[in-house]
Amino acid sequence: MNMRRIAAVARKEMTHILRDPRSLATGIAIPMVLIILFGYALTLDVDDVPFAVWDRSGTPRSRALVAAMDASQYLRLEGTAQSYAELELAIERGDVLAALVIARDGQLQLIVDGSDANTAAIAIGYIEAIVQQQRCGASSACKPSIELRPRVWFNPDMASRNYIVPGLLAVIMNVIAALLTSLTIAREWETGTMEQLISTPLRVPELIIGKLVPYWVIGMIDVVLAFLVGLLLFDVPFRGNLLLLFATTAVFLIGVLTFGMLISVVTKSQLLANQIAVLGTYLPAFLLSGFMYSIDNMPQPLQWLTYVLPARYLVTLLKGLFLKGTGLEVLWLEIVLLVAYTAIVMAVANVKLKKKLEA
């Protein structure tokens, strides 16, 4: 390969990017906006659960229970009721998530809005823990003979942002990188400049690498900015090796950028390439990468499908580097598979583009 020809193609592509503000906005501004937006909006933490109470007993013990629930950082007393109809209306309106009925004999009934099963289950756990604590008090009669003291590693505060933000980096870069290069070759065909490139002594690998270089630089700038946003804005801990982080994301970007170019080569249409890039990267990365849902809980065919998604490997790598501080001795398999994916995609893109040029 001739480095001068690669540099010429890279310079041409960078000139086009600088002349088109939309390309720069897509490459730099949009990833930052998405990370900040999703980082704040997307949370799995369940706290400040609104609840209502119908206290039919009116005893000091019932009032102490309600006060203890309201004093909890996870619950918020939204109001009281005097009938089941009032509680039902409050739950239907969404004013409260749970309703506690205290009977005259002290029996408790808990009514929870189960439209969000995960949130409902967590709210039930909060209320049951407070009720159990109030019933036991200082008495040792209801205390178990074995005391369980759980210890949470890597994320002791159980803050969802600590594992959502690293996963967001992988998902967003997966989508943006494919979008950036999905228009490169298709644009050349639509504007009629592809014939000029064919007539030059430029070789296929030189064209691919030359077009990838500017977008790879933009992608690495995004990685640095996203890393700083995660640390400084969301206070996500980073315990791993910084060099390993940027090395793995660099390989990931090469693979995904080449995948976007492969889409452009096959479709030869900017509109179609853009649509395929979104559908082929966003939903698989969001749903099947292990970012939101555990891969082990998926049906077996979907688990096999995740092995062809580069976001799966990067999500595991980023969570390991950010939260666990793990290194090559643990993450080597994900790195090997990520390198293999990148090599395969580059080889396929080289073959497909060669066929197009020859045609």
Side-chain angles (χ1 to χ4, degrees):
M1 288 187 293
N2 189 301
M3 297 304 298
R4 291 183 59 188
R5 292 198 288 261
I6 293 176
V9 175
R11 185 166 56 251
K12 168 188 172 297
E13 200 67 28
M14 182 60 75
T15 301
H16 173 78
I17 294 172
L18 295 177
R19 287 177 178 176
D20 184 9
R22 292 173 299 180
S23 297
L24 282 177
T26 302
I28 296 179
I30 292 180
M32 296 304 101
V33 171
L34 290 177
I35 288 177
I36 294 174
L37 180 62
F38 279 109
Y40 280 115
L42 188 61
T43 177
L44 301 179
D45 296 334
V46 180
D47 50 16
D48 202 29
V49 174
F51 73 99
V53 173
W54 181 18
D55 187 1
R56 304 182 64 185
S57 66
T59 61
R61 187 175 181 180
S62 67
R63 290 193 292 269
L65 173 61
V66 174
M69 293 174 61
D70 190 29
S72 170
Q73 62 175 326
Y74 304 108
L75 303 172
R76 183 184 76 251
L77 179 61
E78 193 66 27
T80 58
Q82 299 301 321
S83 66
Y84 277 107
E86 293 183 23
L87 294 178
E88 182 179 354
L89 183 60
I91 293 177
E92 288 179 349
R93 287 178 174 176
D95 297 334
V96 298
L97 180 68
L100 181 66
V101 180
I102 306 176
R104 290 187 175 88
D105 61 356
Q107 294 295 315
L108 303 178
Q109 180 185 20
L110 180 61
I111 306 171
V112 180
D113 181 359
S115 56
D116 185 341
N118 180 66
T119 303
I122 296 175
I124 291 173
Y126 290 157
I127 295 174
E128 285 181 341
I130 295 175
V131 170
Q132 181 68 15
Q133 183 180 18
Q134 288 296 308
R135 282 181 171 176
C136 290
S139 173
S140 60
C142 60
K143 292 183 179 179
S145 57
I146 299 177
E147 183 180 359
L148 179 64
R149 295 184 180 181
R151 181 181 178 184
V152 180
W153 285 8
F154 312 128
N155 188 13
D157 296 332
M158 298 291 287
S160 62
R161 68 177 183 275
N162 287 347
Y163 61 87
I164 283 180
V165 172
L168 272 176
L169 173 61
V171 172
I172 292 175
M173 293 310 303
N174 188 71
V175 178
I176 297 299
L179 281 176
L180 286 173
T181 52
S182 65
L183 308 179
T184 53
I185 303 299
R187 183 174 59 243
E188 302 286 358
W189 283 111
E190 291 186 353
T191 57
T193 56
M194 195 64 183
E195 289 79 3
Q196 299 176 10
L197 290 175
I198 294 175
S199 63
T200 65
L202 192 66
R203 300 175 61 188
V204 172
E206 295 167 351
L207 177 61
I208 293 176
I209 296 174
K211 282 186 169 292
L212 286 182
V213 168
Y215 297 106
W216 182 84
V217 173
I218 293 175
M220 290 306 296
I221 293 174
D222 287 335
V223 171
V224 173
L225 293 177
F227 176 78
L228 295 176
V229 167
L231 263 63
L232 303 178
L233 188 59
F234 294 106
D235 198 26
V236 178
F238 181 78
R239 304 185 176 99
N241 186 295
L242 197 59
L243 180 61
L244 184 59
L245 169 70
F246 289 112
T248 52
T249 51
V251 175
F252 170 81
L253 283 174
I254 294 173
V256 179
L257 288 170
T258 309
F259 176 73
M261 185 174 292
L262 177 60
I263 295 174
S264 187
V265 169
V266 174
T267 60
K268 299 172 64 173
S269 167
Q270 293 188 72
L271 178 60
L272 183 58
N274 186 275
Q275 293 173 341
I276 294 177
V278 173
L279 293 176
T281 55
Y282 176 69
L283 289 178
F286 194 86
L287 299 176
L288 303 178
S289 65
F291 163 58
M292 288 296 297
Y293 309 104
S294 174
I295 295 177
D296 294 334
N297 295 332
M298 298 178 186
Q300 195 65 46
L302 290 182
Q303 293 187 33
W304 295 334
L305 180 61
T306 61
Y307 285 103
V308 302
L309 303 177
R312 168 194 170 129
Y313 308 122
L314 190 62
V315 167
T316 303
L317 288 166
L318 291 180
K319 288 183 178 180
L321 289 170
F322 271 88
L323 301 179
K324 300 180 181 180
T326 49
L328 286 172
E329 69 280 359
V330 176
L331 301 174
W332 66 270
L333 180 58
E334 281 75 16
I335 296 174
V336 169
L337 293 174
L338 189 58
V339 172
Y341 169 85
T342 301
I344 293 172
V345 172
M346 292 197 72
V348 174
N350 183 75
V351 172
K352 289 292 183 180
L353 183 56
K354 183 177 180 180
K355 290 182 178 179
K356 296 293 181 182
L357 291 178
E358 290 176 350

